[in-house]
């Protein structure tokens, strides 16, 4: 974030020297128009593609957009510099949205205030922008414009390359931000694992464990009779024993007990019931 924000700050020192009428309202309006069109196209793509992680998707265009904007500033005539500036702005807007979404998600996962994470991110980002502006402004009086432009552009593109390929790649984001499937499975035991854990802790027989598994899946006593091929009186006897051993009196309480069950490490595989 610090490097990307520094590049943004430096670029805003470059723009006034390469753009025609950079200080005019028309230039800023065209810049925002290009940024808005780019953001709109990106948002439409997200809507149509429905990526598995919107946070990862928001980070993806940040560095390419800023790099493309810098190259457009170099290559395009001064009258079209607003295109490059608009692309750079689009990259920064995506970065800001990424920070807001990631801060909210991480605060929820880590159970800490959102303002603490988001406030830190904003502080780092704005500090980078300020530092980049100071560096860009300090370099200008000491160089002729041609050498300064090439030097600043090379520094910015090099910084983007470092940030995007060495420090924090898309793969890094996916590995550090997204929860692995195995972890999700461990955190959220399956219904079968919960039933097996309850059966073990309450000392249910193998037949009672089978009946428990059917009850928590919404089966009626008659369904239990049909699926296990047992008499209704036998099924009711098993249900009564289950309620007694679990200390519940109705189906709702039974659901609550199973929902709160936490299987141990040895309960990962379902029991084999005869």
């Amino acid at each position: 974030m610090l490097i990307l924000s520094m590049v943004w700050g430096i670029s805003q020192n470059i723009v006034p020297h390469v753009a025609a009428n950079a200080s005019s309202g028309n230039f800023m309006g065209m810049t925002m128009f290009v940024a808005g069109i780019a953001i709109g196209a990106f948002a439409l793509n997200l809507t149509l593609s429905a990526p598995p992680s919107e946070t990862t998707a928001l980070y993806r265009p940040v560095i390419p957009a800023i790099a493309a904007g810098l190259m457009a500033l170099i290559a395009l005539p001064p009258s079209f510099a607003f295109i490059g500036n608009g692309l750079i702005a689009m990259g920064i807007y995506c970065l800001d949205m990424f920070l807001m979404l990631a801060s909210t998600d991480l605060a929820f996962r880590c159970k800490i205030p959102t303002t603490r994470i988001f406030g830190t991110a904003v502080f780092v980002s704005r500090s980078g922008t300020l530092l980049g502006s100071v560096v860009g402004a300090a370099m200008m009086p000491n160089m002729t414009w041609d050498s300064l432009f090439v030097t600043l552009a090379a520094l910015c593109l090099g910084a983007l390359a470092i940030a995007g390929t060495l420090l924090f790649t898309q793969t890094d984001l996916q590995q550090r931000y997204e929860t692995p499937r195995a972890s999700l499975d461990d955190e959220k035991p399956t219904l079968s694992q919960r039933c097996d854990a309850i059966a073990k802790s309450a000392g249910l027989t193998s037949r009672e464990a089978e009946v428990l598994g059917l009850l928590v899946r919404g089966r009626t006593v008659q369904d239990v009779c049909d699926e296990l091929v047992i008499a209704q009186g036998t099924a009711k006897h098993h249900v009564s024993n289950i309620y007694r051993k679990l200390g519940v009196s109705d189906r709702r309480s039974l659901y609550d007990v199973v929902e709160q069950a936490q299987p141990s490490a040895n309960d990962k595989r379902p029991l084999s019931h005869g």
Side-chain angles (χ1 to χ4, degrees):
M1 288 187 299
L2 185 69
I3 291 178
L4 296 179
S5 299
M6 284 181 62
V7 170
W8 163 252
I10 293 174
S11 72
Q12 296 314 289
N13 281 275
I14 294 176
V15 169
H17 294 271
V18 298
N21 302 320
S23 59
S24 68
N26 183 59
F27 176 83
M28 292 307 301
M30 294 301 293
T31 292
M32 292 301 101
F33 177 76
V34 171
I37 291 295
I39 286 287
F42 177 63
L44 179 61
N45 178 66
L46 286 183
T47 302
L48 296 177
S49 62
S53 171
E54 292 183 352
T55 307
T56 304
L58 280 172
Y59 179 75
R60 187 175 298 120
V62 172
I63 294 177
I66 298 176
L70 285 168
M71 289 186 286
L73 287 178
I74 298 173
L76 295 178
S79 57
F80 291 97
F82 65 87
I83 296 178
N85 201 36
L87 291 176
I88 296 174
M90 181 263 192
I92 291 299
Y93 291 158
C94 286
L95 178 62
D96 286 344
M97 289 188 289
F98 165 77
L99 293 181
M100 288 188 287
L101 186 57
S103 296
T104 303
D105 288 347
L106 291 176
F108 176 78
R109 295 184 183 193
C110 301
K111 295 180 173 59
I112 63 177
T114 304
T115 51
R116 183 180 304 175
I117 294 182
F118 185 59
T120 301
V122 170
F123 176 78
V124 171
S125 178
R126 297 304 178 261
S127 297
T129 301
L130 177 61
L131 183 58
S133 298
V134 170
V135 170
M139 294 179 67
M140 288 187 178
N142 302 321
M143 301 182 183
T144 62
W145 174 240
D146 291 340
S147 63
L148 174 63
F149 182 80
V150 173
T151 301
L152 287 180
L155 285 175
C156 289
L157 292 173
L160 290 176
I162 292 173
T165 60
L166 298 180
L167 295 183
F168 198 64
T169 65
Q170 284 288 317
T171 301
D172 292 330
L173 176 60
Q174 292 172 351
Q175 291 177 345
R176 299 184 185 188
Y177 182 84
E178 297 176 354
T179 303
R181 175 61 58 183
S183 297
L184 287 175
D185 292 341
D186 290 340
E187 293 174 3
K188 296 182 179 181
T190 64
L191 184 60
S192 295
Q193 290 173 343
R194 293 180 186 276
C195 289
D196 289 343
I198 288 291
K200 288 182 178 180
S201 63
L204 301 183
T205 64
S206 59
R207 180 62 82 181
E208 289 169 351
E210 286 182 306
V211 174
L212 172 64
L214 294 173
L215 292 178
V216 297
R217 289 173 172 82
R219 304 295 196 275
T220 65
V221 171
Q222 186 58 52
D223 293 331
V224 172
C225 296
D226 295 339
E227 293 195 32
L228 299 183
V229 193
I230 57 178
Q232 190 173 74
T234 302
K236 290 182 177 180
H237 177 70
H238 288 320
V239 172
S240 177
N241 284 342
I242 292 171
Y243 281 12
R244 176 176 54 81
K245 291 181 181 181
L246 298 186
V248 299
S249 58
D250 53 41
R251 190 73 69 93
R252 178 68 264 174
S253 299
L254 178 66
Y255 292 157
D256 291 340
V257 170
V258 173
E259 180 65 26
Q260 296 170 9
Q262 293 297 328
S264 64
N266 295 326
D267 296 327
K268 296 303 180 183
R269 291 181 300 176
L271 292 176
S272 177
H273 301 308

